Amino acid sequence: MLATMVWLAGRYEASQVQTRLERDAADAVSDIRTALTHNLQSLQALPADAPGQLAWEVEASELLRIRRELVRIEWRDAHLKLRTHVQSPYRPVAWDMRLRESSQSDLSIACTNARRLGSPAYSTSYFQPHGDGLGSEMMELCVPLTAGGRTTGFLVATYGLQDMLLNLVAHNLTRSQEASFTEPDGTRLAVMGAARRGSRMFTAQHLLDLPGATLVLRMDGWHTAPSVFPNVLTALVTAMSIALVTVMVVLVRDNRRRLRAERDLADALAFRKAMEDSLVTGLRARDLQGRITYVNPAFCEMVGFTPQELLGLSMSAPYWPPERVEEYQQRQAIRFAGTMPPREGFESEFMRKDGTRFPVLIIEAPLINAQGQHTGWMSAFLDISEQRRVEELSRASQERLQATARLATVGEMASLLSHELNQPLAAISSYANGSLNLLEQQAAPALACTSADTSAAPPVPDALDDVRMAMRQIARQAERAGRVIKSVHDFVRRRDQAREAVSAQQLLDAILPLVSLQARKLGVRVFTTVEPGLPSTLCDRTMVEQVLLNLARNAMQAMDDPTVRTRVLDIRVRHAASSQHSDWIEFVVTDQGTGIPTEVAAKLFTPFFTTRPEGMGLGLSMCRTVIEQHGGFLGFAPNSPRGTVFTFTLPASQPDSRP
Ligand code: ADP
């Protein structure tokens, strides 16, 4: 539409130019006509009577001087004979009079016409050389002079076509116009004004029909390319459309930029989201009021709550252990009072949804937005339970290492002691045996003497028996001590112990004298029960005796407490409970003592752990080692209503061999 409008405007403008040119041509023709009529009147006013020839010449000259389009005025008689003439002072023309006088000349044709019509007549134009090599187109006007209805002569006025254009048309022409006289066939006769060859030519032609001659006045005008802005409206519309197109272009560009920015933004967002989601560190953001505004998946996984359950919460979070809520609230209050948290973070304890607690390392920092305003707090969380576990493990292994080192020392000591003690024990044993032999020998002659010499005081037989029994005990215990030391030595040196089949009763019998001694001292009643028909156990007898002794001693010591009223030590031997016909025999040592608190239970078998001031803390750890070396198991459980039950198992020598 806009293009059509501009084109129409261009067309309109062209038609305007054409119309103006037509009007100018019409005006010019009318001007020429008026001037010609005017000239005709002036010519007719010349005093053309015989005596006034001089006056005629004067006036005709005057006329020529004023009317520059006139080149020559002749006064001829009725026979066309030249009476007199005047020439224009402006332009000399070499008239060829012979030619002029010929009956075929334009002049005579015009006059013939004039005579015939009885009124002025014009000739057609003709070319008249000027004599200086140039020439111009001329036209004759023949005015018949009449007196009393008779033609008395003629006035012939010669017009220069070029001068006509120059004097009658020129003043109205614009610089862009060209006026010319042409013949009907288009031949140019006279031209005035040089039309510049513009991009568009406009032409207007007008007929100038004079009596006897017809001329065409042609006007050419040129115009540059039709103005792009012929009027304000078009200019406005064009300006607006240009603005519109510009705005559209800008919009399209802007839109493209926006789309690109959006895409970049979406990419960046997706990248950030992926980063946040793949983090193992928990992230949480809170605003200045303490409301949770953001949690990342790692945090949710850590505490076991969904983001929906956490977002918006402020005063108390579900992952705070209930007993520490107050402490955490205080910490939060301090934070919101503006106190900066420590840069290196702090440790705290959180609770999972299932109630389990876990240690976390929290690193907090103020949340500063793009405008530099403090809008809340950002916290990062690290679950450090694994770290703690590893620390605990390394601490425990460190302790074990130390204990092992000490054990090694103890082992060295034990082997040294056993080496050193062996000799005195052997000495004790041999002295006891020697004494026994002596007593035996003494007893025999004494008896013999009794019959021979009754006066000598006989030794009291009871006392001697007691001494003998004591000596026997000394010898037996010394041997036992020797065996213990040997076993310990072997144990420490990790030599293969001598396994033998021993019945449970034998084991109990071996330790009961020593147990009874301590039991009597502490007021403990001792019960032993051996399940009938038990097979023998295959074991290192001395070491298992030591284990039994140790457990019995521990049990009695546990009951050595003022709060313990019923002091009963119960030792039972039976088939292992899990399988009646198995190859395992179970020893159960039950006491009614103080029991074992949880924290003690955890370290019970740790070497050097003891709660007793005089204790070594090696008893139970050795016991377990001994039992485990036999392939058995040593464990404990609380007794009902009070006390502890220690249980261990030993392999049977011949499974179910006994009836
Ligand atoms: P020690 O006898 O030298 O203290 P043990 O290894 O035999 O070393 O015992 C370690 C600790 O186990 C004891 O100090 C005691 O606190 C505890 N304990 C062992 N047996 C019992 C029991 N029957 N009842 C209560 N506590 C016991």
Side-chain angles (χ1 to χ4, degrees):
M1 274 172 65
L2 282 168
T4 314
M5 260 187 87
V6 171
W7 179 73
L8 283 177
R11 285 247 326 216
Y12 172 76
E13 196 196 17
S15 77
Q16 286 289 93
V17 173
Q18 181 67 37
T19 312
R20 204 160 47 240
L21 202 66
E22 299 274 355
R23 198 183 56 227
D24 284 352
D27 284 354
V29 168
S30 150
D31 280 355
I32 292 169
R33 226 188 280 279
T34 311
L36 289 184
T37 313
H38 207 253
N39 284 353
L40 184 65
Q41 285 170 353
S42 299
L43 285 172
Q44 284 171 338
L46 287 177
D49 45 351
Q53 188 171 337
L54 198 64
W56 183 90
E57 280 174 5
V58 171
E59 283 198 25
S61 299
E62 181 59 20
L63 188 63
L64 279 180
R65 211 172 49 76
I66 298 166
R67 310 301 303 188
R68 298 189 179 199
E69 65 272 20
L70 287 171
V71 181
R72 178 187 170 99
I73 303 176
E74 292 175 353
W75 183 6
R76 292 182 181 255
D77 61 11
H79 304 288
L80 282 179
K81 282 274 173 317
L82 184 65
R83 290 182 67 174
T84 181
H85 75 276
V86 285
Q87 294 252 59
S88 163
Y90 306 112
R91 183 183 299 242
V93 179
W95 300 97
D96 181 355
M97 289 313 290
R98 201 168 38 80
L99 215 69
R100 200 168 163 75
E101 296 303 326
S102 97
S103 59
Q104 293 306 313
S105 67
D106 294 283
L107 182 147
S108 37
I109 294 168
C111 284
T112 314
N113 274 342
R115 192 200 312 260
R116 191 161 41 84
L117 295 171
S119 63
Y122 291 85
S123 74
T124 54
S125 67
Y126 61 92
F127 183 77
Q128 174 64 48
H130 286 188
D132 51 2
L134 298 173
S136 64
E137 204 69 23
M138 300 275 181
M139 184 177 77
E140 304 289 346
L141 163 66
C142 190
V143 183
L145 299 172
T146 54
R150 203 168 49 85
T151 304
T152 55
F154 295 93
L155 277 180
V156 178
T158 310
Y159 281 101
L161 292 188
Q162 184 77 37
D163 298 319
M164 274 169 79
L165 289 177
L166 211 62
N167 295 304
L168 308 180
V169 180
H171 57 275
N172 285 331
L173 280 187
T174 62
R175 281 174 187 278
S176 59
Q177 285 174 334
E178 181 191 74
S180 58
F181 279 119
T182 63
E183 283 184 354
D185 63 359
T187 315
R188 277 173 197 261
L189 302 173
V191 183
M192 194 210 54
R196 269 182 284 169
R197 296 286 166 239
S199 56
R200 274 192 77 166
M201 288 301 302
F202 296 88
T203 302
Q205 293 191 340
H206 236 270
L207 272 184
L208 173 66
D209 51 336
L210 302 167
T214 300
L215 285 174
V216 177
L217 181 77
R218 170 179 163 155
M219 272 192 135
D220 291 314
W222 65 273
H223 209 278
T224 48
S227 308
V228 180
F229 305 113
N231 56 43
V232 179
L233 186 73
T234 317
L236 214 72
V237 170
T238 311
M240 271 172 62
S241 44
I242 286 172
L244 207 79
V245 169
T246 315
V247 165
M248 259 177 62
V249 168
V250 169
L251 259 176
V252 166
R253 270 203 206 149
D254 185 61
N255 206 34
R256 269 204 214 125
R257 247 204 325 268
R258 244 164 235 270
L259 278 175
R260 206 177 314 129
E262 262 174 34
R263 211 173 38 239
D264 290 353
L265 210 68
D267 285 352
L269 249 165
F271 175 63
R272 245 149 239 231
K273 181 101 185 46
M275 240 166 45
E276 282 170 14
D277 291 353
S278 50
L279 266 184
V280 289
T281 313
L283 290 180
R284 179 196 65 190
R286 288 189 294 184
D287 62 11
L288 284 176
Q289 283 73 48
R291 278 189 298 265
I292 299 177
T293 51
Y294 168 79
V295 281
N296 75 340
F299 183 78
C300 293
E301 202 177 315
M302 210 180 275
V303 296
F305 289 95
T306 61
Q308 289 73 29
E309 287 172 306
L310 297 176
L311 293 179
L313 297 177
S314 66
M315 280 328 283
S316 162
Y319 48 81
W320 287 358
E323 69 276 8
R324 304 187 73 168
V325 165
E326 211 166 304
E327 179 196 333
Y328 289 5
Q329 274 172 349
Q330 273 171 9
R331 193 168 69 197
Q332 187 166 319
I334 292 171
R335 189 78 63 252
F336 293 133
T339 316
M340 287 292 159
R343 277 196 73 81
E344 66 278 10
F346 54 90
E347 283 188 30
S348 186
E349 191 188 39
F350 276 5
M351 188 177 75
R352 295 196 186 87
K353 201 175 186 180
D354 59 12
T356 51
R357 317 291 156 99
F358 64 101
V360 282
L361 177 70
I362 307 178
I363 300 162
E364 280 199 315
L367 189 65
I368 310 292
N369 72 1
Q371 284 76 43
Q373 287 168 334
H374 179 196
T375 56
W377 298 91
M378 193 74 213
S379 319
F381 300 87
L382 270 176
D383 185 346
I384 50 174
S385 15
E386 184 59 19
Q387 199 178 324
R388 284 279 163 282
R389 201 180 64 78
V390 170
E391 279 173 16
E392 186 60 37
L393 267 179
S394 81
R395 198 180 54 75
S397 74
Q398 191 71 26
E399 274 177 9
R400 260 206 310 281
L401 213 68
Q402 286 173 2
T404 316
R406 279 156 68 194
L407 257 185
T409 318
V410 168
E412 288 301 321
M413 268 171 61
S415 101
L416 201 72
L417 274 178
S418 61
H419 185 74
E420 294 301 319
L421 287 179
N422 254 338
Q423 285 167 11
L425 276 173
I428 290 171
S429 182
S430 25
Y431 278 126
N433 284 327
S435 304
L436 267 175
N437 290 342
L438 278 178
L439 277 173
E440 300 290 334
Q441 285 168 13
Q442 284 284 314
L447 285 173
C449 280
T450 309
S451 55
D453 182 8
T454 49
S455 63
V460 184
D462 283 355
L464 266 180
D465 280 349
D466 281 354
V467 171
R468 208 175 284 131
M469 206 271 284
M471 278 299 172
R472 219 174 277 130
Q473 280 296 339
I474 289 173
R476 199 183 296 163
Q477 288 303 328
E479 271 167 31
R480 198 178 113 72
R483 280 205 309 280
V484 168
I485 283 170
K486 186 172 176 304
S487 306
V488 169
H489 186 260
D490 287 349
F491 173 73
V492 169
R493 290 283 165 215
R494 298 244 174 237
R495 292 212 189 100
D496 280 344
Q497 286 90 24
R499 303 272 164 94
E500 55 185 314
V502 191
S503 75
Q505 194 60 54
Q506 280 173 318
L507 288 169
L508 290 179
D509 288 347
I511 62 152
L512 269 178
L514 293 170
V515 171
S516 309
L517 260 176
Q518 201 175 4
R520 224 171 298 143
K521 213 164 86 190
L522 299 175
V524 176
R525 280 180 292 148
V526 182
F527 295 100
T528 56
T529 323
V530 178
E531 200 180 279
L534 267 187
S536 304
T537 59
L538 189 67
C539 63
D540 178 347
R541 180 180 185 157
T542 324
M543 289 311 282
V544 174
E545 279 171 16
Q546 279 308 112
V547 170
L548 264 175
L549 197 62
N550 207 331
L551 292 182
R553 260 192 210 134
N554 275 350
M556 286 189 288
Q557 278 163 353
M559 288 187 284
D560 183 19
D561 191 281
T563 60
V564 181
R565 302 233 176 272
T566 330
R567 300 189 171 185
V568 175
L569 168 64
D570 186 25
I571 306 176
R572 283 163 196 274
V573 189
R574 59 189 185 200
H575 269 109
S578 54
S579 52
Q580 191 65 28
H581 301 291
S582 73
D583 308 345
W584 292 93
I585 291 166
E586 188 178 57
F587 292 71
V588 184
V589 182
T590 312
D591 69 70
Q592 313 254 335
T594 47
I596 302 175
T598 337
E599 62 273 17
V600 174
K603 306 180 197 161
L604 207 59
F605 294 106
T606 315
F608 304 108
F609 172 76
T610 178
T611 58
R612 282 189 279 276
E614 74 285 2
M616 274 273 283
L618 280 173
L620 284 177
S621 105
M622 296 272 270
C623 287
R624 191 166 66 167
T625 313
V626 168
I627 298 301
E628 282 174 358
Q629 276 178 358
H630 283 84
F633 161 80
L634 172 67
F636 66 95
N639 185 31
S640 168
R642 56 178 301 163
T644 320
V645 186
F646 272 89
T647 316
F648 66 87
T649 53
L650 284 175
S653 63
Q654 293 158 325
D656 290 336
S657 58
R658 294 191 181 188

